[in-house]
Amino acid sequence: MLIDPPIDKLVEKVGNKYATVGVLSKRARTLMEKRHDYLEQENVNAVTLAANEVVEGKVEGVNEG
């Protein structure tokens, strides 16, 4: 279960809950492909890292709603 960052903040950043799922899944897949070693080293879940990046504004293509 995703607790941090709160889902409300993610939905606020992206615009709606359906777009949030799309953005997070796409970014998590990219992280798994490109930064798999980093994720294993830091013992971080790809979805959690993607969610944190969205909240911090590091993911392009997110329209703040």
Side-chain angles (χ1 to χ4, degrees):
M1 176 182 263
L2 186 63
I3 296 174
D4 188 39
I7 294 173
D8 295 344
K9 281 189 178 182
L10 289 166
V11 172
E12 229 175 76
K13 271 291 205 197
V14 177
N16 65 55
K17 60 185 175 184
Y18 302 108
T20 301
V21 171
V23 167
L24 287 180
S25 65
K26 186 174 182 178
R27 181 61 184 153
R29 266 186 259 129
T30 302
L31 288 170
M32 288 296 293
E33 292 171 3
K34 310 259 180 190
R35 301 188 69 193
H36 185 70
D37 294 336
Y38 170 78
L39 294 172
E40 283 185 357
Q41 235 176 11
E42 297 295 319
N43 197 25
V44 177
N45 185 329
V47 176
T48 301
L49 184 57
N52 286 327
E53 288 180 351
V54 168
V55 169
E56 293 169 6
K58 293 181 180 179
V59 177
E60 290 183 24
V62 174
N63 299 328
E64 292 191 29

